[in-house]
Amino acid sequence: MADEREVASDGDGEEAAHDPEREARRLAALSLIRRYGDPVLKSRATPIDRFDEALRQQIARMGQIMDEANGVGLAAPQLGLSQRLLVYRVGPEAPLTVLVNPELEWSSDDEEPLDEGCLSIPGVTVPVERPVYVRVRALDESGERRLVEASGLEARVIQHEIDHLDGVLILDRTAKDERKQAMRALREAERDHAERAA
Ligand code: NI
């Protein structure tokens, strides 16, 4: 998910548009990401049990695609891989965080709504209510256990990406009226896209 402009969406094209090379990389990265309607995005992903060089290469590739797409988080199913793996980076200077087989161990009763977008649903943002604090158990790229306690944007990104591992999208997490409106925007965006492509 999640960009800086909308705080919690995946992409911000406006800044990139000033730099044609960066914009080309952004579009190339986006073209690798599965879109709304792809069955892999509605499926529950499978736990990872091999912590080998192939996994580490895949993590590096996910980090690169996420960065080039101006995302703050990316889950493996978004690249068509049914694996319980996600990466995120909550600020330009922040390190890439990798969570393998993450389990949400605890979340706060304290919730807040915020507009979220998703690299798999470009052009759509909807308000999503989520717990402000979470504690997550996971493994890292070497299979070592890690515990992450997060709040605010980081907590939101983690929850958004874990949702992807369970086949849940932001449209499933928003109110009915918001979803209707978003679906309309999505159809319009697809029509515009088809017209431009024609
Ligand atoms: Ni997403």
Side-chain angles (χ1 to χ4, degrees), residues 115-137:
D115 282 352
E116 285 185 27
C118 179
L119 288 172
S120 294
I121 319 174
V124 168
T125 57
V126 290
V128 179
E129 182 117 8
R130 295 197 193 267
V132 180
Y133 302 94
V134 296
R135 187 166 65 235
V136 177
R137 286 197 186 276

Side-chain angles (χ1 to χ4, degrees), residues 21-36:
E21 269 179 44
R22 195 178 142 197
E23 177 63 3
R25 280 200 302 275
R26 186 180 76 88
L27 294 175
L30 277 178
S31 75
L32 299 173
I33 294 172
R34 300 295 177 97
R35 298 289 181 94
Y36 179 76

Side-chain angles (χ1 to χ4, degrees), residues 33 61 83 98 108 140 178:
I33 294 172
R61 180 170 176 263
Q83 294 179 321
V98 178
S108 63
D140 69 9
E178 306 286 357

